[in-house]
């Protein structure tokens, strides 16, 4: 088992290891004094883990459980308001807390509810997908989607504890696990040649506890430096601007992880053509994505991809901040005029 301490506007521990679900109540009671806990989970995770988590939480507090339908479509205003009403109906107070048991959808929705219910109650992230373990459960970005786009309403609001029971990843369908692998590869490309080399060597058989802890350490360092996403944190969007275009243009039939993989491949090829990225590093990035059976190309025409990518909230006026690899472990933020995006994409496709 490993612990990582995150220092942001709130400092908190991230625990990573097998069997942590059973310790949830004890670990919460060591940090918070809730009389009631709002347990939020989804319809796929609930039958697998809710009873075990309830049993652990009931050792220290009364538990009220709220289950949303599994999937991105639940990260919406209606579920958000239903959750707030549920918490109010159960009379949770400011000294109580929420627990998010699930992937990034449950985590983002619960975090946003925690940020706003009674102007802020504590919450605990219990990530059960690889993506949530290495990315969304840490760093305090919370959000819901609007009909106009993804994550358009949200808050920066740090959790009080993150407990990642690596045993829960055993029930994750391989396809969803591979989506999370795209984010793990992203950390290697951004910051860590040794992590990248481990992924090259081991493929899907990488050491989960060590790799998740390493990704959390890397994210911790970024969040400590730039909690509110004004500079360094933007690098965590490597592959995401183009990926967002792929997701949006596919009507969200291409999953987030696969879209990010395509985005990383496109920016790597384009960066190599610009003379920024070494050819051998471009080839290693493409090869590791393929080793994880992640896609590296799309048939979406560059003009359509650019239009879809520009609907993303990461755009600032007439400029989009592209994250480009110069080498494995060294990426740059490159402000690019919107008018040059189609040519950039053509170079990378
Ligand atoms: P998800 O939460 O929809 O989970 C994917 C699927 O896996 C769901 O059907 C879920 O029920 C199921 N599942 C979860 N854990 C399981 C388990 N252990 N066993 C079996 N099935 C399980 O998706 P996700 O990929 O975890 O998260 C995607 C969301 O995260 C998006 O909404 C994205 O915007 C958000 N996100 C947020 C941040 C952030 O910093 N806040 C970062 C990246 C992504
Ligand atoms: N997932 C990107 C971030 O947390 O900034």
């Amino acid at each position: 088992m490993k612990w990582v301490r995150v220092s942001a506007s709130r400092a908190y521990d991230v625990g990573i290891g097998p069997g942590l679900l059973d310790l949830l109540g004890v670990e919460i009671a060591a940090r918070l004094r809730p009389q009631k806990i709002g347990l939020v989970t989804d319809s796929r995770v609930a039958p697998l883990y809710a009873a075990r988590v309830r049993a652990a939480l009931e050792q220290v507090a009364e538990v009220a459980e709220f289950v949303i339908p599994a999937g991105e479509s639940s990260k919406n205003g209606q579920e958000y308001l239903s959750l707030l009403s549920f918490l109010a109906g159960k009379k949770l107070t400011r000294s109580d807390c929420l627990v998010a048991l699930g992937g990034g959808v449950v985590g983002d929705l619960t975090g946003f509810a925690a940020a706003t219910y009674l102007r802020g109650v504590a919450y605990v992230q219990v990530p059960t997908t690889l993506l949530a373990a290495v990315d969304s459960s840490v760093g305090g970005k919370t959000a819901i989607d609007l009909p106009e786009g993804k994550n358009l309403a949200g808050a920066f609001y740090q959790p009080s504890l993150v407990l990642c029971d690596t045993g829960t990843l055993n029930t994750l369908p391989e396809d969803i696990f591979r989506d999370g692998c795209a984010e793990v590869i992203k950390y290697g490309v951004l910051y860590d040649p040794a992590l990248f080399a481990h992924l090259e060597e081991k493929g899907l058989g990488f050491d989960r506890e060590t790799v998740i802890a390493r990704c959390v350490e890397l994210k911790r360092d970024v969040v400590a430096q730039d909690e509110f996403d004004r500079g360094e944190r933007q690098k965590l969007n490597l592959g995401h601007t183009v990926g967002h275009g792929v997701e949006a243009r596919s009507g969200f039939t291409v999953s987030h992880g696969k879209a990010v993989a395509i985005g990383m491949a496109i920016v790597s090829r384009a960066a190599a053509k610009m003379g920024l990225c070494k050819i051998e590093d471009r080839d290693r990035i493409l090869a590791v994505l393929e080793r994880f059976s992640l896609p590296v190309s799309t048939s979406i025409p560059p003009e359509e991809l650019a239009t879809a990518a520009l609907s993303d909230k990461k755009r600032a006026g007439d400029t989009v901040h592209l994250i480009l690899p110069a080498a494995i472990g060294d990426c740059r933020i490159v402000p690019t005029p919107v008018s040059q995006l189609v040519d950039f994409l053509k170079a990378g496709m």
Side-chain angles (χ1 to χ4, degrees), residues 228-248:
F228 298 108
D229 212 5
R230 300 202 174 98
E232 185 67 23
R233 190 164 180 172
Q234 291 173 16
K235 287 191 182 169
L236 298 180
N237 289 326
L238 173 67
H240 282 59
T241 299
V242 179
H244 174 85
V246 173
E247 267 182 297

Side-chain angles (χ1 to χ4, degrees), residues 42 44-45 48-49 70-72 75 102-106 108 128-129 131-132 135-136 138 141-142 150-151 168-169 171-173 176 183 219 233 256:
D42 77 27
R44 279 174 85 179
V45 176
L48 295 168
Y49 301 113
E72 183 71 28
K75 218 176 92 173
V105 166
V106 168
D108 280 13
T128 61
T129 64
L131 178 141
D135 194 355
S136 61
V138 176
K141 277 191 185 175
T142 73
K150 266 190 73 163
N151 295 328
T168 62
L169 300 178
T171 55
L172 208 53
I176 298 177
E183 302 286 354
K219 184 152 186 183
R233 190 164 180 172
H256 179 73

